[in-house]
Structures are given as C-alpha cells and as structure tokens.
Amino acid sequence: MDRDAVLALLIAQLRDVVPDLAEKPIIGTDSMAELGVDSIERSEILMNTLEALALDLPMVHLHGPRNLGELADLLHGKL
Amino acid sequence: MANSEVFVAGIGAACGLGWGKAALIEGLLAGRDVFSVLARPGRQAPDGSTAFIGVEMPEPPDILPPRVARTAGFGARAAIAVLDEAWREAGLDDVDPQRIGLIVGGANLSSREHLLAVAEYADRLKFIPPRHGHVFFDSDIVGLCASTYAIRGFAHSLGAASASGAVAVLHAAEAIRAGRVDVCIALGAVQDVSYLDLLGLRALGAMGSSRFADRPGLACRPFDVDHDGFLYGEACAALVLRRGAGGYGSILGGAQVVDGQRGPEPCGEGQSRAIAAALAQAGMSAAAIDYVNAHGTGTPKGDEIEAATLRSMGLQQAWINAGKSITGHGLAAAGAIEVAASFLQMHAGALHPTRNLDTPLDPNLRWVRGGAQSHRIRHALKVSFGFAGCDTALVLGAPP
C-alpha cells in the first residue's frame, strides 16, 4: 500500500467516525483538530486505521504529526 | 403547602406496544398481546438451548445526530427518545437549565451490549473502541441526556433493581420539595439484559415460563393461579416532575424502605411499611385509594405476598391491575413506566385489564380483568418492589 492509499484509508476512517464530514472535501494538509474531531474520536479513528492496516503499534507512537498527510507518512513508514 | 406540591407535566414512554405514551395507553387499554420469543441479538444462548419469551420494542426513533447516535447504545437511544417526548410536552426549553434535575433509575443497564462486545473483540482486544471506557458506566445515559438537553441542576443514576424507576420518581419529587430544583426528570432506563442474565433469573426461579413455553401470549399471568414467573419486557419511560399542581396529576406521597432481604424474597412487612409511610406522607388512609397499580410480576410467591399485603392494608375496595401482564417486566424501567401508565389511565378515565387473569389467586380483591373499564381515578397507589429488599410505594392524585 502506497502513502496516498494510507491517506485515503485514514480519511475514510475519519468519515466513518464523524459522519458530519461525509461530504466535506478533506486533504492531507487538514488536521483533525481543525476538522472539529474530538480527542475520543481521534483515538477511534487511529485505532480503526491501525486495525485496517494490521499494524500493532502503541498509540503513543502516533503523536507528533501536525496534519493528516504527516500522519499518513508516519503510518506508511511503519508498514 | 402549595410550593411543596409536585405534579407530572410531561410523559415519554416506550415498550413493546410501541413508541410514545399514546401507543402505551392504547395498547394497555386494549390488553394487546405482544409476547413472543425474544429475538434481539444476545438474548438467547448461542448453543440454541434457550427460547426465552418476553417483549421487545421497535428500534428507537432517530433523534440524535448520526455523529452522536453511532456512539450510543440501544438503551441510551431509547432514553433520549422518551426524554424528548416528555421534555417537549412539558415545554422545558423555557426553564432555567440550572433548575432542572435528572435521575436515571437503573443499574448494570447494558449487559447485553457488553456480552456482544466481548464476543466481537475477543480476538482483537487491542482494538476495543476508546469510547467503551466511558460508555460502560450507567452514568453515560445521564451524560448523554444532559449533553443533549439543557439539564444543568444535578443528574445521576440510581439502582434499586426492579424498583429503580419508582425510586427515581420518589427522589425526583423529593428533590423538588427540598428546593434543589424546580423541575426534575425521573427516567426509568431500559434494562438491556443478556441471555446470561435471563439464565440466572430462570435458575433463580423468578422468571417463567416453562408452563406456557409454546404459547407466549398466555405465559405472563400476574395474580393468576397458573402463574409461573415473570417475563422480561423492554421498557423505558420519562416523567417530568414540576413544582405546583395540574398536568397529569400529583405525587402526593411516597416512601422506600428496606426489609433486610438480600435476594429476591418478597417481604410483606416491608411492603406494608412502605405503603403506610406513603399514605402518611400523603395525609390519607387506605380507604381513600380507589386504584392500585400493582407490582404484579407473576412470580408465585411475589404475587401471593403482594396480594396479602394489599388485603392486609385495607385496599379491598380499590381496583387493581398489573401492567406487566401486557408490557412484560421492564426491571429497571418497570416502576417508571407503571407510574406513567397510572397517570395515563387517570387521564383516560379508564383502567386497563390484567391479561391472563383467568382465575385470581385472591378472589376477594377487586381485579381489573377481561377488558378495560371506565373509572375515574382520584387517588392511586403505585407499589414497586426490587431485589435486595427494596419496597417502594407512591400515592398519586388526580389533577385539580
């Protein structure tokens, strides 16, 4: 899976958890905070994405990225 | 004292008869049969060894926005639906939120969903949704209600087994009388039982029906000589209590006492004490009660002792019916939906029949059976009993 596919997966998980964003265009420079995602939703999105990628990674390793694109880069690097 | 009066300004209800209080009173008066083999996931043993009978309600209406609804369990969505109905009827949008309280009656409310979650995540425990960390508390229903409606006075849940709903009404009335709030919502929550709970209740000897396993409509028989235990029924109800008089009628008195039992054993002495204390608070005698909404579960010992209590308290003149014969036993919600049913019958000027009461175990009491009958309730007694020796009684009065 390439990096853009990881980003697409992340955005799909985000739309599942936050149905309000189903129709909103979302790109890699968007951050979850800017999109109005709360901390519990953020954790669920990350866990769902890790499961979809079959990644066994402590959540603490996902701190740091400033937007969805950087998060996709990080996840892609762990595959 | 006028400012110590508490009345019911709004009712929301849901059970196997449908959504809303109109469906409840219509189904009760019709004595509709809604019993069948339980079908909601998690209600029957996976090995096919059970065929528990009871009553299940339709899916809750969509009230919450999808973003919130996906995080709320069945019982939480049901709570929102009944609260919405009661809230709108009472016009609470115009009340100072800090003067509104909420008491959710019921504990261990989501065991069916917990059981399903264990099965779903058994081989992928690291992916348990983070939200489970707060949703497993019963207080999540409290939080969901107070985050959806403007309730900012106080809010909490309470547990009193099958008396939880009635105790919530009692405490809500007391909160208003004590001046803590001007409005208090008592909500009897769905006791969303799993097959493990039902197996336990059957093993305990509390739940029927082995006698009518192939005829669900005949299985729930409170106060009938052929009763063999209670049958579960999903239920949920909200009552908006306000300071003053009017609406559906008043909470004139109430009491909850503990009788020292740990398990399911009923205790006539405790039941009598609760009734006497409720009547004393209302300032009236048993002779003034013209209608009793019984606890009436259909367990042989429970029915026998309750009937003896009503007789010994001098309530032979009052009409008596048992809602569980129609709705099933809502456990945590039972007391609340039966208080709601009492006020709705008061409003309708009619009493619902007790289904399957073909041969009353005590023919000297004044049972409502066979069909609905006209009666203008003036003073009603609602009794509600819970495991662990919780005996509750409420005296309800018609509006002026």
Side-chain angles (χ1 to χ4, degrees):
Chain A
M1 183 179 283
D2 63 24
R3 179 267 185 196
D4 286 348
V6 172
L7 178 61
L9 175 66
L10 188 56
I11 292 172
Q13 298 294 344
L14 192 155
R15 293 190 200 279
D16 277 351
V17 171
V18 189
D20 304 17
L21 300 175
E23 306 299 325
K24 182 180 173 62
I26 300 174
I27 57 175
T29 53
D30 290 327
S31 75
M32 291 205 221
E34 289 166 354
L35 291 167
V37 176
D38 71 28
S39 61
I40 300 175
E41 290 168 338
R42 181 181 187 277
S43 295
E44 187 174 356
I45 292 162
L46 293 178
M47 288 184 69
N48 292 352
T49 304
L50 289 173
E51 185 172 19
L53 292 171
L55 271 177
D56 186 0
L57 201 62
M59 292 284 278
V60 68
H61 289 197
L62 301 181
H63 293 166
R66 290 166 300 179
N67 56 41
L68 294 169
E70 291 184 11
L71 192 53
D73 291 338
L74 188 153
L75 289 167
H76 183 251
K78 302 287 185 183
L79 291 176
Chain B
M1 191 166 71
N3 68 0
S4 69
E5 292 184 14
V6 174
F7 74 102
V8 174
I11 292 174
C15 63
L17 296 167
W19 287 94
K21 56 185 169 284
L24 174 61
I25 188 62
E26 186 273 330
L28 285 172
L29 293 177
R32 182 164 301 132
D33 173 16
V34 287
F35 285 85
S36 63
V37 174
L38 299 174
R40 204 176 292 285
R43 289 272 164 73
Q44 304 291 351
D47 64 2
S49 61
T50 63
F52 293 122
I53 295 168
V55 178
E56 291 173 326
M57 59 171 72
E59 280 300 303
D62 292 330
I63 292 175
L64 294 166
R67 183 174 184 173
V68 181
R70 65 176 292 282
T71 69
F74 168 66
R77 287 180 288 119
I80 289 292
V82 298
L83 174 55
D84 188 77
E85 183 183 15
W87 182 280
R88 288 171 188 272
E89 183 178 31
L92 297 189
D93 284 339
D94 297 330
V95 178
D96 175 0
Q98 294 189 26
R99 300 301 298 167
I100 302 177
L102 168 68
I103 301 174
V104 173
N108 307 315
L109 294 168
S110 306
S111 57
R112 183 185 63 87
E113 290 176 339
H114 293 177
L115 188 81
L116 294 175
V118 168
E120 183 179 356
Y121 289 94
D123 59 353
R124 51 193 190 104
L125 291 174
K126 67 182 70 164
F127 298 114
I128 284 277
R131 202 167 287 280
H132 184 78
H134 71 85
V135 167
F136 83 90
F137 288 106
D138 290 323
S139 55
D140 184 60
I141 292 180
V142 176
L144 182 65
C145 289
S147 63
T148 306
Y149 298 88
I151 300 166
R152 297 293 183 273
F154 72 90
H156 59 78
S157 61
L158 64 77
S162 297
S164 296
V167 176
V169 173
L170 177 63
H171 284 225
E174 288 176 351
I176 293 171
R177 289 197 176 100
R180 291 178 68 194
V181 287
D182 299 320
V183 173
C184 195
I185 300 149
L187 194 152
V190 175
Q191 189 92 54
D192 193 359
V193 295
S194 72
Y195 71 86
L196 286 180
D197 305 325
L198 295 173
L199 282 167
L201 288 162
R202 187 175 69 181
L204 198 59
M207 196 175 72
S209 167
S210 51
R211 187 173 296 173
F212 296 95
D214 56 342
R215 289 168 290 170
L218 298 179
C220 192
R221 324 180 58 85
F223 300 113
D224 185 80
V225 295
D226 285 331
H227 53 182
D228 73 345
F230 84 83
L231 292 180
Y232 171 70
E234 290 177 346
C236 194
L239 295 101
V240 174
L241 275 54
R242 297 190 79 149
R243 188 186 313 282
Y248 286 98
S250 300
I251 311 291
L252 300 175
Q256 184 259 315
V257 304
V258 67
D259 61 38
Q261 302 296 321
R262 180 186 174 192
E265 289 298 303
C267 173
E269 182 275 333
Q271 295 174 2
S272 298
R273 248 186 326 127
I275 293 169
L279 287 169
Q281 189 181 60
M284 62 179 60
S285 68
I289 298 295
D290 57 273
Y291 165 66
V292 176
N293 188 295
H295 184 57
T297 62
T299 59
K301 192 163 186 183
D303 286 354
E304 182 185 326
I305 290 188
E306 183 176 357
T309 296
L310 297 178
R311 200 172 50 243
S312 72
M313 292 301 293
L315 290 158
Q316 290 91 335
Q317 82 293 341
W319 289 107
I320 305 170
N321 61 12
K324 293 181 183 75
S325 67
I326 300 171
T327 63
H329 193 339
L331 302 174
I337 199 165
E338 289 160 11
V339 170
S342 299
F343 281 114
L344 292 171
Q345 290 174 95
M346 202 178 270
H347 188 68
L351 304 178
H352 70 73
T354 306
R355 286 193 72 250
N356 297 321
L357 185 45
D358 299 330
T359 310
L361 60 88
D362 185 339
N364 297 316
L365 289 171
R366 206 174 182 197
W367 307 106
V368 187
R369 62 193 187 103
Q373 66 182 64
S374 294
H375 175 70
R376 185 169 294 280
I377 301 171
R378 291 191 307 117
H379 297 121
L381 176 71
K382 170 66 199 140
V383 290
S384 199
F385 311 129
F387 289 177
C390 180
D391 303 313
T392 310
L394 293 161
V395 177
L396 318 175

